[in-house]
Amino acid sequence: MNSDRLGALLARFKGKRVLVIGDCMLDEYVWGQVNRISPEAPVAVVEQTETTYAAGGASNVAVNVVAMEGIASIISVVGDDAMGCQLREELERSGVRHEGLVVRPDRPTTVKTRIMSQSHQLLRVDRELRTPISDDIAAQLVARVQEELPAADAVLLSDYHKGVLTETVIAEVVSLARKQGKPVTANPKPANTVLYRGVGLISLNRSEAEAVTRVSLAELAGVEQAGQALLHLCASEAAIITLGGRGLALFEAGQPGRHLPVVPLEVFDPCGCGDSAIAAATLARAAGADWVDAATLANLAGNAKVRKLGVVPVNRKEIEQVYRLGNGGAKGH
């Protein structure tokens, strides 16, 4: 991909509507300083100075879509609690439409609290309920998908295995999207991967792909075997396996895999890379890109994310910057 094609594809991201369905959550960061060890136990005492919040999980995928100049609507479940209100505030601030959120008093908002000292994470505390949602909640979610799907350019299923994307919800959403000719992408957790048959793109990281296929990805031969297995398992048009410092591998039905190497950059924080990658790939498909170009943009977006601390989105300028860095700073080649 040359710089002109990259610019043209990124320009077509603007205004593309992505319907994000999945497990939304709130990321809470408790920032402070460590100056002493507790007299009660051999642990650090954090003197809190600030608390910040960010939309996490499927919510972060939606925030990435908006940061890349697409339009995102999220459909999910939150609790009737203070953290649910905080999450809606974060989505509002980020420009994500959240009318599709189902508020339930019997299901708390998923919260991940990270205790931070300077740029170092000392501890993470998770508050969540991971049991599958009930049939009546599933029906509400599907109804909201039916309302919003006609205006969408693509559907993205973001599965963090917190109970929102049940077999029923996945099957209904995929069926509705295919009937309306909408591209569907998904980044499932291993336990649920088999449920995603029929999606256009399945995206997993190395450890997830190994868990699903039971194939070691230490060598490229294993990557090829695992990628073809994922295509067969999900009957997908394409599959992506992100490989961390080795870039990513793209697989298309009936073709050998393609390896897209990583752009050599200093790595700050890999958290949220998968969210940025799947958001970019989905917008690319909504913009008419083929799978190779979609995977290339996913790779660049993931590379851009590792340069940033925390679960934060990636924007178009950062994707372009990573491209230039990977091509010696040149404007084209």
Side-chain angles (χ1 to χ4, degrees), residues 25-201:
M25 58 189 74
L26 181 68
D27 287 330
E28 180 182 41
Y29 294 86
V30 177
W31 302 89
Q33 297 179 345
V34 175
N35 297 312
R36 60 194 176 97
I37 300 299
S38 171
E40 303 168 354
V43 296
V45 174
V46 178
E47 298 176 7
Q48 183 176 348
T49 57
E50 184 183 15
T51 301
T52 60
Y53 300 94
S59 314
N60 183 53
V61 175
V63 171
N64 270 274
V65 169
V66 174
M68 296 175 196
E69 301 185 22
I71 298 171
S73 296
I74 188 160
I75 294 179
S76 187
V77 181
V78 295
D80 186 11
D81 49 30
M83 289 307 193
C85 292
Q86 184 68 51
L87 176 56
R88 289 195 292 277
E89 286 183 20
E90 297 305 318
L91 291 169
E92 188 80 28
R93 186 177 297 114
S94 300
V96 175
R97 294 181 56 195
H98 53 83
E99 296 87 351
L101 291 178
V102 174
V103 180
R104 297 288 298 197
D106 56 345
R107 194 173 185 93
T109 302
T110 298
V111 181
K112 293 182 179 180
T113 300
R114 296 172 175 88
I115 312 299
M116 309 291 293
S117 177
Q118 296 179 332
S119 60
H120 302 291
Q121 183 180 154
L122 305 180
L123 181 69
R124 194 180 93 183
V125 179
D126 291 0
R127 287 167 280 175
E128 61 190 15
L129 179 64
R130 295 194 294 176
T131 54
I133 59 173
S134 61
D135 290 343
D136 68 307
I137 301 177
Q140 290 180 63
L141 293 180
V142 171
R144 297 191 184 195
V145 171
Q146 289 175 315
E147 291 173 6
E148 298 203 32
L149 187 58
D153 295 300
V155 175
L156 196 165
L157 297 164
S158 180
D159 189 348
Y160 276 79
H161 199 38
K162 306 298 182 186
V164 170
L165 288 172
T166 62
E167 183 173 2
T168 298
V169 171
I170 295 166
E172 291 278 1
V173 170
V174 172
S175 176
L176 288 168
R178 292 182 68 174
K179 285 177 182 176
Q180 296 189 31
K182 312 287 185 177
V184 184
T185 63
N187 56 341
K189 289 300 181 185
N192 296 339
T193 301
V194 70
L195 304 179
Y196 287 85
R197 289 187 62 83
V199 300
L201 171 70

